[in-house]
Amino acid sequence: MTPKFSLQPVLDYRETRVEILEIELGRLVQSQLRGKTFLEALQSSRNRLLEEMGKQQVGDVDLFMLSRLRSNLQMVNQRIAEQEARLAELAQQIAEKQVEIVVAKQDAEALNKLKEQEIERYRKEEVRRENRLQDDIYNSRAFRQTKGAA
């Protein structure tokens, strides 16, 4: 049975940290997807407003309706700009989170390598111990045989 890895709590913490970071990344990606969907809806709304403004400018012009449509268009354009800024911020957060995950995985992997090296050292020591015991057994037998033959 291999001995307990002395840094196991640290390794467990780092592996848990990787999992937490991956969950956070997933949430950020989900937020980004929802944000992109919302942006597409805003752009679609802007296109409808532009089409409606085009229709209102044909024939008799209703200045009140055009003013309302222009006001709505400005508001939608402002919301689009805000949403694009949020998406840019989310993209930056996602990139930072990906870097954090890579670093956390490297830290956990380094400890895993140490653990494997410790296990390998233990196994080699066990083999050496077993070989020494086997040699002792053979030497004892040989000594008894030579003592018994003399």
Side-chain angles (χ1 to χ4, degrees):
M1 185 168 141
T2 59
K4 186 174 180 195
F5 181 52
S6 61
L7 296 174
Q8 189 63 44
V10 177
L11 177 58
D12 293 342
Y13 167 78
R14 289 191 177 171
E15 288 174 343
T16 301
R17 175 115 173 95
V18 168
E19 292 171 8
I20 290 169
L21 289 172
E22 287 174 339
I23 290 169
E24 290 173 359
L25 176 63
R27 288 183 181 147
L28 287 171
V29 169
Q30 284 296 90
S31 293
Q32 185 183 41
L33 290 174
R34 283 192 306 272
K36 285 180 179 181
T37 301
F38 183 60
L39 179 62
E40 289 170 1
L42 286 171
Q43 290 170 336
S44 176
S45 179
R46 176 176 59 187
N47 290 339
R48 281 193 304 277
L49 284 169
L50 288 171
E51 286 176 17
E52 186 62 31
M53 285 178 71
K55 289 178 186 175
Q56 288 295 322
Q57 292 176 0
V58 174
D60 291 334
V61 176
D62 185 353
L63 293 178
F64 176 73
M65 180 59 86
L66 274 176
S67 175
R68 222 174 93 213
L69 289 171
R70 189 173 294 116
S71 174
N72 288 344
L73 182 61
Q74 287 174 341
M75 186 175 59
V76 168
N77 282 336
Q78 180 182 353
R79 301 268 322 262
I80 287 173
E82 291 169 359
Q83 190 63 24
E84 287 173 340
R86 279 190 206 114
L87 286 173
E89 184 179 325
L90 272 173
Q92 181 180 355
Q93 289 175 356
I94 287 171
E96 290 170 359
K97 193 62 66 177
Q98 288 170 333
V99 169
E100 279 184 71
I101 289 172
V102 167
V103 170
K105 282 184 177 180
Q106 288 172 342
D107 290 346
E109 186 58 34
L111 281 178
N112 268 322
K113 281 187 177 187
L114 284 175
K115 181 179 180 179
E116 291 302 318
Q117 289 172 354
E118 190 173 302
I119 290 170
E120 187 60 32
R121 270 194 304 271
Y122 173 79
R123 288 184 182 148
K124 285 180 180 178
E125 184 59 33
E126 280 294 303
V127 167
R128 277 194 290 275
R129 246 185 258 129
E130 287 175 10
N131 287 342
R132 270 188 257 128
L133 285 174
Q134 195 70 28
D135 288 347
D136 288 347
I137 291 170
Y138 289 143
N139 289 337
S140 292
R141 284 183 188 162
F143 180 73
R144 274 188 240 138
Q145 287 174 353
T146 57
K147 192 142 179 130

